[in-house]
Amino acid sequence: MKNNIIYFFVMTLAVTIGSVASANPYFSGDESQTPGAIAEKKGEKISDDLRRTASDKERWQSFSLGSGDTDPKALELVLIKSSGFVMRLDPKEERLYFERKGLRQAFAIQGPSGGDEVCPKYSIRVIDAAVDHAVILQNCYADGAAPGTMEISSDYYLYDVKTAIMLDFWRSGTETKKIPLAFVRPDPVVKKTDNGYRIDWVYRDKTSAPQDAVTMHNVYHYAVDSDSKLLYLRCKDLTNTQGAEGDFCEKGGDLKAIIDNRMSTH
């Protein structure tokens, strides 16, 4: 995160210096040699070095994918370097890809053309990842708002390779676009189990005063649908005293892969 802050500072300084240099009557006209351009190149080198040398977790914490990005490098994030597992965003098609050797899965995500679920612009951040799954946060922003402000909605997804699904296990949103979303960090903790996943989360609800602490404990087990014979993740809400499907198991906007090309599920 420190490197990301340094990069932002360098890029901001580059724009400022470049503007001043261009306004200088003695400016030679070679844009590539202005202090701003040189500082921008240094910033790009910091970013490239971080992508190349950082650990997987450091990479997730330092970069996010954004709907406004156009540079191919900015639209791709290596999840697990050792296995070549990559997440790639196509903002034009509003698709999120997960790719590695023997695997290519794509999902249609929320975007500007989403109708009732319209998402004018958005960012996608990785919370955790392994060779067979990833935990993703998509934040949607009001049109004209800077990232991190005036969020319309936030969705936490559990992407599972085996079932080719992005499980929308938590969604929060506001119609006023003026109040903060219901939850604050820390992010949910997702752990792999012998036959699925467990999600544990304690967060504060900012819509109440004083803020309420809300606890979520869900387990998901692989099961086969009796009708379709397809594999899916069956939810059990451990906070429910009856041990049945509770409020936290209510289905949200789960995404099924629209492209599912794989030679193995490992």
Side-chain angles (χ1 to χ4, degrees), residues 218-232:
N218 279 10
V219 291
Y220 294 86
H221 295 301
Y222 290 112
V224 178
D225 185 271
S226 57
D227 295 324
S228 67
K229 308 303 180 184
L230 296 176
L231 195 67
Y232 75 101

Side-chain angles (χ1 to χ4, degrees), residues 151 179-184 203-209 211-212:
E151 295 170 343
I179 64 174
L181 294 184
F183 56 80
V184 294
Y203 67 96
R204 287 176 288 126
D205 184 350
K206 294 196 285 188
T207 63
S208 63
Q211 294 180 1
D212 290 335

Side-chain angles (χ1 to χ4, degrees), residues 134-151:
V135 183
I136 306 296
L137 172 62
Q138 180 181 10
N139 284 320
C140 291
Y141 305 105
D143 199 16
T149 64
M150 296 179 66
E151 295 170 343

Side-chain angles (χ1 to χ4, degrees), residues 5 9 18 37 57 60 94 109 113 115 123 150 155 170 181 193 210 216 219 249 254:
I5 294 172
F9 172 77
K57 187 173 183 179
W60 311 331
E94 295 176 8
I109 59 173
S113 64
S123 66
M150 296 179 66
D155 291 81
W170 184 262
L181 294 184
T193 65
M216 174 184 184
V219 291
C249 280
D254 295 351

Side-chain angles (χ1 to χ4, degrees):
M1 192 62 69
K2 180 180 178 181
N3 286 317
N4 212 26
I5 294 172
I6 293 173
Y7 175 66
F8 175 78
F9 172 77
V10 171
M11 294 300 288
T12 303
L13 182 62
V15 172
T16 303
I17 295 175
S19 299
V20 173
S22 298
N24 190 331
Y26 301 103
F27 174 53
S28 66
D30 186 353
E31 293 283 353
S32 66
Q33 297 304 312
T34 64
I38 293 172
E40 184 175 355
K41 289 179 182 178
K42 289 182 179 179
E44 291 175 351
K45 186 178 185 304
I46 292 173
S47 179
D48 290 342
D49 288 346
L50 187 59
R51 290 178 184 276
R52 187 178 66 257
T53 63
S55 67
D56 291 334
K57 187 173 183 179
E58 288 173 338
R59 198 180 309 110
W60 311 331
Q61 292 176 336
S62 301
F63 298 98
S64 61
L65 309 184
S67 57
D69 291 327
T70 56
D71 185 347
K73 288 191 298 184
L75 292 170
E76 182 175 289
L77 183 63
V78 177
L79 301 180
I80 307 296
K81 189 174 183 179
S82 61
S83 62
F85 193 22
V86 173
M87 180 177 73
R88 179 171 58 84
L89 176 65
D90 184 339
K92 291 183 179 180
E93 296 293 330
E94 295 176 8
R95 290 183 180 183
L96 188 64
Y97 290 83
F98 295 90
E99 299 167 321
R100 58 174 164 77
K101 186 177 181 180
L103 172 73
R104 186 171 187 257
Q105 293 177 332
F107 299 84
I109 59 173
Q110 295 182 70
S113 64
D116 292 337
E117 297 296 324
V118 66
C119 183
K121 61 181 183 177
Y122 55 87
S123 66
I124 295 176
R125 181 166 67 90
V126 176
I127 310 301
D128 193 16
V131 293
D132 55 2
H133 74 279
V135 183
I136 306 296
L137 172 62
Q138 180 181 10
N139 284 320
C140 291
Y141 305 105
D143 199 16
T149 64
M150 296 179 66
E151 295 170 343
I152 298 174
S153 63
S154 292
D155 291 81
Y156 278 103
Y157 292 100
L158 169 58
Y159 161 62
D160 178 60
V161 172
K162 190 180 293 187
T163 57
I165 195 171
M166 285 179 64
L167 186 74
D168 191 355
F169 66 86
W170 184 262
R171 176 179 174 81
S172 181
T174 172
E175 295 181 357
T176 69
K177 303 180 184 178
K178 294 180 181 178
I179 64 174
L181 294 184
F183 56 80
V184 294
R185 293 188 183 184
D187 293 311
V189 176
V190 179
K191 294 181 180 179
K192 198 80 165 61
T193 65
D194 291 340
N195 190 38
Y197 303 89
R198 175 175 175 133
I199 300 176
D200 295 291
W201 195 15
V202 178
Y203 67 96
R204 287 176 288 126
D205 184 350
K206 294 196 285 188
T207 63
S208 63
Q211 294 180 1
D212 290 335
V214 182
T215 302
M216 174 184 184
H217 298 294
N218 279 10
V219 291
Y220 294 86
H221 295 301
Y222 290 112
V224 178
D225 185 271
S226 57
D227 295 324
S228 67
K229 308 303 180 184
L230 296 176
L231 195 67
Y232 75 101
L233 287 168
R234 176 186 292 165
C235 178
K236 182 177 181 180
D237 181 359
L238 300 183
T239 60
N240 188 302
T241 56
Q242 302 301 316
E245 289 195 2
D247 292 341
F248 288 123
C249 280
E250 291 182 356
K251 288 296 180 183
D254 295 351
L255 306 178
K256 288 291 294 182
I258 57 174
I259 297 175
D260 183 11
N261 299 329
R262 47 183 159 166
M263 293 189 298
S264 71
T265 56
H266 306 309

